[in-house]
C-alpha cells in the first residue's frame, strides 16, 4: 500500500518524562501496520553520548542491540516487539552522533570556511538523519519519537528541525502527536488541563503546532475536558485522544484503536483508512490474560532494583508464557546476597532460574553458587552472556576441580582462565561500540537439547560481549559432560553450552531476548518456560 511519498509522524512529550512515548508510537505503528502500511519507528535521543553502550543500566535501562550491531535505546526493543520488524543503526539518533558527524565534517573542510552553528548545521544534520530511512523508499510512514520533554534545552535542536521539516514537507506529509499528562488532584477531586495547555504553548513557542493530543490519565476524560483541551490547544475535539492507564503495554494498541488514533492520523496525512487486522495480536493477549497455570522464575543479576535493566528478558518471558498458557512470575534476586549458606533457602521455591547478563566482578560468586545449586538439584537453568560464562566457571571449579578457575575479567591473574578476552579485543582501548556486537551465525550440534529447541542446524543471534569460553579447556569440559552445542564456524567461538544429564541446562553467549517478539516468541524462552512447568509438576 505504498504512497507516492513517505509520510512522517512525530511524537513529542510534555509535562513529565516516562509517559510512554515509545509505547504510544509502537502502538500506533502496530495499528497502521495491521492495515497494510509499511512502517518503521526511529528514536531521537537528546543526550550527548554517541550511543547508550557506555551508559550504566541504572542510568538508562538496558542497552538494546540491533542486527547490524548498533547499541541503541531500549525503546527500539518495544518497536521490534510490537512490529516484528528488525530495526538498525538508522533507527536511533543521538545528539552525540549528530555533533560527532558535524565536527568530523568541519575538520574535513566540508563547510568551506563557514562558521559552524546549531542552525543551520546541527539542524540540517538532524534533518538528514531523519529523512535517511525515508530515502530508501521502503516505508509508507515513518514514526519519529523525540526523546525528553518539550522545553528541555537538550531537545530544542530537534524541535527546531521538526519545525523546518514541517514547513518543507507540508502539513499533509508530516503531523505532530503530543503526548502529555492530565494530572488528577485528589484533594480537589479534579483532572487538571493547565499543565497540558502550558506544554502545548511551549511547543508553539518553538514554532510547532501539535495536530493530535494523546493525554495520559488515571481517570477517563469527559467531553467537557476534551472540548476545553481542543479550544485551548488549537486542535479538533476528535484529535484529543485519551490514554488511560492499562494493565499491560500490550493493551495499548487496542485502546488506541478504540480511541481512533490511527483513523485521525491517517485522515490528517490524507491516507486511506482500513480496519486493522489485530487477530494474531488479540490471540496472544487472550492467552497471556488467561493462563492455565503459574510458575516462579528467579532472575539473578546485579541490576535487579531497576526493571528496565532487563527489559527485553522480562518481555521475552511474557511472550513465552503466553505460548505455554502460563503466568510467569519473575522474582529478581540480587546475586551479591546469595552465598553457600543461604542458597538453598533462597532458591528452593523456584521452578527455574535465569542468570542475567552483566559486567564486572560484583555479585559473581553469588551467581556461581546459584548455578551450582540448580545444577546439582536438577532445576532448569538458563544463562545469558555473563550467565553462560558463570556456568562454565562453576563447572570448571566443581566438576573439573580447577578451584581457581575464573574469567580474566574478574581475575586477570587466574591460573585457569576458562573465560578469557577474545583475541581481537586485546588491543582495544575505546569502550564505546567496540564489543562483539550484532548478529552472528552459529552452527548447532545435532542430537543436543539446543538442536531440539531450535529444530535447525544454523541460527543467527545478537551479541554484546568481549569475553568468551577459552577453547583450551573445551576438551576437558566436554569429557566431564559440559557440551559445546553451538559454535561460530568462522571464529570457532563457543556460543552455546549445555549439560548432558540435566532436565534443562543451557548457557548462551548471545542475547536471545533481543529477538523475541509478540508474534515470534524466542524458542529458548518458550522451551525454558516449558521445562519450568514440568519441574513444577514434579
Amino acid at each position: 500500500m505504498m504512497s507516492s511519498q513517505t509520510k512522517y509522524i512525530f511524537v513529542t512529550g510534555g509535562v513529565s518524562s516516562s509517559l510512554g512515548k515509545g509505547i504510544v508510537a509502537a502502538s500506533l505503528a502496530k495499528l497502521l501496520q495491521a492495515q497494510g502500511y509499511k512502517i518503521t519507528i526511529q528514536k531521537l535521543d537528546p543526550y550527548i553520548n554517541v550511543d547508550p553502550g557506555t551508559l550504566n543500566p541504572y542510568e538508562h535501562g538496558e542497552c538494546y542491540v540491533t542486527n547490524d550491531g548498533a547499541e541503541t535505546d531500549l525503546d527500539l526493543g518495544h518497536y521490534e516487539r510490537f512490529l516484528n520488524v528488525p530495526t538498525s543503526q538508522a533507527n536511533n539518533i543521538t545528539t552525540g552522533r549528530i555533533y560527532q558527524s558535524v565536527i568530523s565534517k568541519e575538520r574535513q573542510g566540508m563547510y568551506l570556511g563557514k562558521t559552524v552553528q546549531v542552525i543551520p548545521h546541527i539542524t540540517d544534520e538532524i534533518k538528514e538523519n531523519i529523512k535517511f530511512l525515508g530515502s530508501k523508499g521502503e516505508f509508507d510512514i515513518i514514526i519519529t519519537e523525540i526523546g525528553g520533554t518539550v522545553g528541555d534545552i537538550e531537545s530544542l535542536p530537534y524541535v527546531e528541525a521538526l519545525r523546518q521539516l514541517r514547513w518543507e514537507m507540508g502539513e499533509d506529509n508530516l503531523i505532530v502527536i503530543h503526548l502529555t499528562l492530565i494530572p488528577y488532584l485528589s484533594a480537589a477531586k479534579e483532572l487538571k488541563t493547565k499543565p497540558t495547555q502550558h506544554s502545548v504553548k511551549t511547543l508553539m513557542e518553538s514554532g510547532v503546532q501539535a495536530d493530535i493530543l494523546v493525554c495520559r490519565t488515571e481517570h477517563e476524560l469527559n467531553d467537557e475536558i476534551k472540548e476545553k483541551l481542543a479550544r485551548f490547544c488549537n486542535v479538533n475535539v476528535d484529535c484529543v485522544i485519551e490514554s488511560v492507564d492499562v494493565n499491560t503495554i500490550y493493551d495499548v494498541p487496542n485502546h488506541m484503536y478504540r480511541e481512533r488514533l490511527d483513523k485521525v492520523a491517517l485522515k490528517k496525512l490524507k491516507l486511506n483508512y482500513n480496519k486493522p487486522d489485530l487477530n494474531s495480536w488479540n490471540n496472544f493477549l487472550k492467552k497471556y490474560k488467561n493462563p492455565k497455570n503459574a510458575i516462579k522464575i528467579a532472575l539473578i543479576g546485579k541490576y535487579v532494583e531497576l526493571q528496565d535493566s532487563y527489559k527485553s528478558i522480562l518481555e521475552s518471558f511474557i511472550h513465552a508464557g503466553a505460548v505455554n498458557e502460563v503466568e510467569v512470575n519473575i522474582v529478581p534476586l540480587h546475586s551479591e546476597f546469595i552465598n553457600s549458606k543461604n542458597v538453598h533457602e533462597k532458591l528452593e521455591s523456584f521452578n527455574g532460574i535465569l542468570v542475567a547478563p552483566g559486567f564486572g566482578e560484583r555479585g559473581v560468586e553469588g551467581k556461581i553458587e546459584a548455578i551450582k545449586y540448580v545444577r546439582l538439584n536438577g532445576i532448569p537453568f538458563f544463562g545469558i552472556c555473563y550467565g553462560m560464562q558463570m556456568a562454565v566457571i562453576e563447572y570448571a571449579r566443581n566438576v573439573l576441580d580447577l578451584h581457581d578457575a575464573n574469567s580474566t575479567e574478574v581475575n586477570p591473574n587466574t591460573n585457569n582462565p576458562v573465560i578469557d578476552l577474545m583475541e581481537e579485543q586485546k588491543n582495544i582501548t575505546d569502550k564505546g561500540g567496540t564489543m562483539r556486537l550484532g548478529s552472528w551465525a552459529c552452527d548447532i550440534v545435532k542430537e543436543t537439547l539446543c538442536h531440539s529447541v531450535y529444530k535447525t542446524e544454523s541460527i543467527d543471534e545478537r551479541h554484546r560481549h568481549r569475553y568468551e569460553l577459552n577453547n583450551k579447556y573445551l576438551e576437558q569440559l566436554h569429557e566431564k559432560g559440559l557440551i559445546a552445542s553451538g559454535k561460530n564456524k568462522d571464529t570457532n567461538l563457543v556460543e552455546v553450552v549445555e549439560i548432558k544429564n540435566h532436565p534443562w541446562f543451557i548457557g548462551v553467549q548471545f542475547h536471545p531476548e533481543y529477538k523475541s517478539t509478540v508474534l515470534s516468541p524466542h524458542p529458548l524462552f518458550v522451551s525454558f518456560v516449558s521445562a519450568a512447568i514440568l519441574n513444577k509438576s514434579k
Side-chain angles (χ1 to χ4, degrees):
M1 197 182 286
M2 281 296 278
S3 57
S4 58
Q5 179 181 348
T6 300
K7 310 256 185 177
Y8 286 83
I9 299 172
F10 279 78
V11 180
T12 59
V15 181
S16 168
S17 58
S18 303
L19 290 182
K21 290 192 298 295
I23 301 301
V24 168
S27 299
L28 175 57
K30 183 77 230 171
L31 293 175
L32 298 175
Q33 184 192 55
Q35 296 181 42
Y37 288 103
K38 290 182 179 171
I39 306 289
T40 192
I41 316 178
Q42 58 187 351
K43 174 82 185 284
L44 311 181
D45 271 313
Y47 50 75
I48 297 173
N49 303 66
V50 173
D51 58 46
T54 55
L55 286 172
N56 189 317
Y58 287 124
E59 287 258 340
H60 202 72
E62 77 172 5
C63 175
Y64 190 76
V65 177
T66 58
N67 280 335
D68 64 350
E71 294 177 293
T72 74
D73 184 78
L74 60 79
D75 274 319
L76 268 72
H78 290 311
Y79 305 161
E80 289 199 11
R81 287 188 281 273
F82 275 56
L83 296 180
N84 206 31
V85 174
T87 54
S88 69
Q89 179 77 64
N91 292 76
N92 194 196
I93 301 157
T94 67
T95 297
R97 262 181 67 198
I98 295 295
Y99 273 86
Q100 189 181 50
S101 178
V102 168
I103 290 166
S104 173
K105 287 177 181 177
E106 185 273 333
R107 292 289 83 189
Q108 293 165 35
M110 290 174 70
Y111 297 118
L112 301 173
K114 288 192 178 295
T115 304
V116 179
Q117 296 175 292
V118 172
I119 303 171
H121 301 100
I122 296 297
T123 49
D124 281 354
E125 188 72 23
I126 292 169
K127 289 192 293 182
E128 203 175 291
N129 277 267
I130 287 168
K131 290 190 286 188
F132 176 75
L133 283 169
S135 67
K136 296 180 174 183
E138 294 174 16
F139 304 108
D140 301 311
I141 303 167
I142 294 174
I143 299 177
T144 304
E145 177 194 346
I146 298 181
T149 307
V150 165
D152 294 349
I153 290 172
E154 292 94 338
S155 58
L156 284 174
Y158 292 108
V159 177
E160 170 57 21
L162 165 56
R163 183 195 68 79
Q164 292 179 25
L165 279 172
R166 182 157 195 177
W167 180 256
E168 292 162 16
M169 290 182 176
E171 292 185 1
D172 293 349
N173 296 315
L174 190 157
I175 62 168
V176 179
I177 295 174
H178 190 55
L179 179 65
T180 179
L181 177 69
I182 309 290
Y184 179 77
L185 295 187
S186 52
K189 293 186 169 52
E190 272 188 299
L191 287 163
K192 289 296 182 183
T193 64
K194 193 65 74 179
T196 292
Q197 292 176 45
H198 282 300
S199 179
V200 172
K201 184 181 174 186
T202 302
L203 190 60
M204 288 174 70
E205 284 170 356
S206 299
V208 176
Q209 167 66 51
D211 297 287
I212 300 169
L213 292 182
V214 175
C215 304
R216 279 298 304 273
T217 173
E218 294 174 26
H219 302 271
E220 291 186 6
L221 306 179
N222 59 34
D223 290 343
E224 185 185 346
I225 288 175
K226 286 188 175 183
E227 284 167 11
K228 183 178 180 182
L229 283 165
R231 190 182 317 120
F232 282 102
C233 299
N234 295 349
V235 297
N236 298 329
V237 175
D238 65 345
C239 294
V240 179
I241 305 292
E242 175 189 285
S243 178
V244 74
D245 291 354
V246 288
N247 294 326
T248 165
I249 59 171
Y250 300 111
D251 278 329
V252 179
N254 279 314
H255 187 73
M256 291 297 105
Y257 170 63
R258 286 191 293 272
E259 284 288 304
R260 303 189 305 168
L261 174 60
D262 55 331
K263 199 169 194 174
V264 172
L266 288 170
K267 184 181 174 184
K268 290 265 180 196
L269 291 170
K270 294 198 165 36
L271 291 172
N272 295 330
Y273 173 81
N274 307 283
K275 188 177 178 182
D277 178 3
L278 293 171
N279 287 335
S280 302
W281 188 268
N282 288 327
N283 284 338
F284 153 75
L285 268 176
K286 187 179 176 184
K287 286 182 178 179
Y288 172 50
K289 290 184 172 184
N290 298 284
K292 295 174 181 173
N293 200 345
I295 56 169
K296 195 170 146 192
I297 302 289
L299 173 62
I300 298 178
K302 68 172 187 176
Y303 306 117
V304 292
E305 301 93 327
L306 190 68
Q307 297 273 314
D308 277 357
S309 301
Y310 303 117
K311 192 67 182 169
S312 292
I313 290 174
L314 298 176
E315 298 306 316
S316 298
F317 274 121
I318 288 174
H319 309 153
V323 173
N324 284 287
E325 297 186 68
V326 65
E327 181 183 348
V328 184
N329 294 309
I330 305 295
V331 180
L333 292 183
H334 206 304
S335 56
E336 270 192 290
F337 305 121
I338 298 173
N339 55 52
S340 58
K341 292 176 183 172
N342 66 16
V343 66
H344 175 74
E345 176 198 337
K346 283 188 176 288
L347 298 185
E348 65 174 331
S349 65
F350 290 101
N351 310 121
I353 80 151
L354 182 145
V355 174
F359 296 91
E361 60 186 281
R362 184 164 62 90
V364 157
E365 295 303 323
K367 290 176 183 176
I368 291 169
E369 282 296 337
I371 294 166
K372 180 182 177 182
Y373 178 82
V374 295
R375 178 177 61 80
L376 294 175
N377 289 281
I379 299 168
F381 163 78
F382 192 4
I384 297 178
C385 196
Y386 211 45
M388 174 256 200
Q389 295 174 6
M390 295 300 109
V392 172
I393 294 168
E394 188 280 322
Y395 209 84
R397 286 183 185 180
N398 298 312
V399 181
L400 269 58
D401 293 326
L402 304 174
H403 300 298
D404 69 337
N406 217 324
S407 166
T408 50
E409 180 177 3
V410 178
N411 177 10
N413 302 313
T414 177
N415 292 319
N416 285 292
V418 291
I419 303 294
D420 199 8
L421 192 62
M422 288 185 290
E423 203 57 45
E424 65 266 30
Q425 289 283 326
K426 289 183 176 174
N427 297 316
I428 290 173
T429 53
D430 286 358
K431 298 294 183 196
T434 56
M435 283 187 260
R436 185 179 185 223
L437 293 165
S439 188
W440 291 74
C442 172
D443 290 345
I444 305 295
V445 178
K446 281 184 175 181
E447 296 178 11
T448 58
L449 174 58
C450 190
H451 187 266
S452 72
V453 169
Y454 278 101
K455 297 179 173 57
T456 181
E457 291 169 52
S458 183
I459 59 168
D460 288 278
E461 293 283 2
R462 300 180 194 178
H463 295 70
R464 186 173 185 255
H465 63 104
R466 297 184 196 279
Y467 291 79
E468 269 280 358
L469 193 158
N470 187 341
N471 282 338
K472 291 174 186 172
Y473 293 86
L474 202 51
E475 197 175 320
Q476 283 174 267
L477 291 163
H478 187 86
E479 282 172 5
K480 293 285 189 174
L482 188 74
I483 310 302
S485 53
K487 273 188 180 183
N488 180 292
K489 66 179 177 186
D490 296 326
T491 60
N492 206 33
L493 295 173
V494 174
E495 304 278 21
V496 189
V497 296
E498 59 183 69
I499 293 177
K500 268 184 182 175
N501 303 312
H502 191 282
W504 206 99
F505 190 107
I506 286 183
V508 295
Q509 186 55 74
F510 46 78
H511 289 261
E513 71 273 21
Y514 291 149
K515 288 187 78 171
S516 186
T517 70
V518 168
L519 300 183
S520 299
H522 198 284
L524 280 170
F525 280 91
V526 173
S527 179
F528 176 60
V529 167
S530 176
I533 295 168
L534 193 62
N535 182 46
K536 182 184 179 180
S537 69
K538 287 176 181 176

